[in-house]
Short mmCIF file of all heavy atoms in Angstrom, two decimals:
data_model
loop_
_atom_site.label_atom_id
_atom_site.label_comp_id
_atom_site.label_asym_id
_atom_site.label_seq_id
_atom_site.Cartn_x
_atom_site.Cartn_y
_atom_site.Cartn_z
N GLN A 189 -23.49 -8.02 5.24
CA GLN A 189 -24.25 -7.59 6.33
C GLN A 189 -23.44 -6.53 7.20
O GLN A 189 -24.08 -5.70 7.95
CB GLN A 189 -24.68 -8.67 7.25
CG GLN A 189 -26.03 -9.24 6.78
CD GLN A 189 -26.33 -10.60 7.42
OE1 GLN A 189 -25.78 -10.82 8.43
NE2 GLN A 189 -27.19 -11.37 6.80
N LEU A 190 -22.16 -6.53 7.08
CA LEU A 190 -21.34 -5.61 7.86
C LEU A 190 -21.63 -4.19 7.39
O LEU A 190 -21.51 -3.29 8.30
CB LEU A 190 -19.89 -5.87 7.67
CG LEU A 190 -19.27 -7.23 8.03
CD1 LEU A 190 -17.74 -7.18 7.84
CD2 LEU A 190 -19.42 -7.29 9.65
N LEU A 191 -21.96 -3.96 6.22
CA LEU A 191 -21.98 -2.65 5.76
C LEU A 191 -23.17 -2.29 4.80
O LEU A 191 -23.68 -1.11 4.90
CB LEU A 191 -20.71 -2.30 4.92
CG LEU A 191 -20.50 -0.82 4.51
CD1 LEU A 191 -20.27 -0.06 5.65
CD2 LEU A 191 -19.24 -0.74 3.51
N GLY A 192 -23.77 -3.16 3.90
CA GLY A 192 -24.68 -2.73 3.00
C GLY A 192 -24.07 -1.79 1.97
O GLY A 192 -24.36 -0.56 1.95
N PRO A 193 -23.12 -2.20 1.18
CA PRO A 193 -22.30 -1.38 0.29
C PRO A 193 -23.33 -0.99 -0.93
O PRO A 193 -24.26 -1.54 -1.21
CB PRO A 193 -21.28 -2.27 -0.23
CG PRO A 193 -21.73 -3.59 -0.15
CD PRO A 193 -22.68 -3.66 1.03
N ALA A 194 -22.90 0.18 -1.61
CA ALA A 194 -23.62 0.59 -2.74
C ALA A 194 -23.51 -0.46 -3.91
O ALA A 194 -24.47 -0.63 -4.77
CB ALA A 194 -23.02 1.88 -3.24
N ALA A 195 -22.44 -1.18 -3.87
CA ALA A 195 -22.20 -2.17 -5.01
C ALA A 195 -21.20 -3.22 -4.50
O ALA A 195 -20.43 -2.85 -3.56
CB ALA A 195 -21.80 -1.59 -6.25
N TRP A 196 -21.11 -4.33 -5.02
CA TRP A 196 -20.00 -5.25 -4.58
C TRP A 196 -19.85 -6.36 -5.57
O TRP A 196 -20.54 -6.57 -6.63
CB TRP A 196 -20.46 -6.00 -3.26
CG TRP A 196 -21.66 -6.95 -3.44
CD1 TRP A 196 -22.94 -6.58 -3.45
CD2 TRP A 196 -21.67 -8.35 -3.65
NE1 TRP A 196 -23.74 -7.71 -3.71
CE2 TRP A 196 -22.97 -8.76 -3.71
CE3 TRP A 196 -20.63 -9.29 -3.74
CZ2 TRP A 196 -23.41 -10.08 -3.91
CZ3 TRP A 196 -21.01 -10.64 -3.90
CH2 TRP A 196 -22.35 -11.01 -4.01
N LEU A 197 -18.59 -6.92 -5.63
CA LEU A 197 -18.19 -8.04 -6.52
C LEU A 197 -17.28 -9.01 -5.84
O LEU A 197 -16.40 -8.55 -5.05
CB LEU A 197 -17.50 -7.46 -7.69
CG LEU A 197 -18.26 -7.05 -8.92
CD1 LEU A 197 -17.13 -6.44 -9.99
CD2 LEU A 197 -18.92 -8.18 -9.54
N PRO A 198 -17.42 -10.32 -6.11
CA PRO A 198 -16.22 -11.24 -5.79
C PRO A 198 -15.05 -11.03 -6.78
O PRO A 198 -15.32 -10.94 -7.95
CB PRO A 198 -16.94 -12.68 -5.92
CG PRO A 198 -18.04 -12.39 -6.92
CD PRO A 198 -18.43 -10.93 -6.90
N ILE A 199 -13.83 -11.11 -6.26
CA ILE A 199 -12.79 -10.83 -7.17
C ILE A 199 -11.59 -11.70 -6.71
O ILE A 199 -11.57 -12.26 -5.63
CB ILE A 199 -12.29 -9.40 -7.19
CG1 ILE A 199 -11.60 -8.94 -5.83
CG2 ILE A 199 -13.35 -8.39 -7.55
CD1 ILE A 199 -10.68 -7.81 -5.96
N SER A 200 -10.63 -11.84 -7.62
CA SER A 200 -9.28 -12.30 -7.29
C SER A 200 -8.26 -11.30 -7.74
O SER A 200 -8.07 -11.16 -8.96
CB SER A 200 -8.95 -13.64 -7.83
OG SER A 200 -7.67 -14.03 -7.63
N ALA A 201 -7.57 -10.59 -6.79
CA ALA A 201 -6.54 -9.63 -7.15
C ALA A 201 -5.50 -10.20 -7.86
O ALA A 201 -4.83 -9.67 -8.81
CB ALA A 201 -6.15 -8.84 -5.97
#
Side-chain angles (χ1 to χ4, degrees):
Q189 274 168 22
L190 294 180
L191 187 67
W196 65 280
L197 268 180
I199 67 158
S200 168

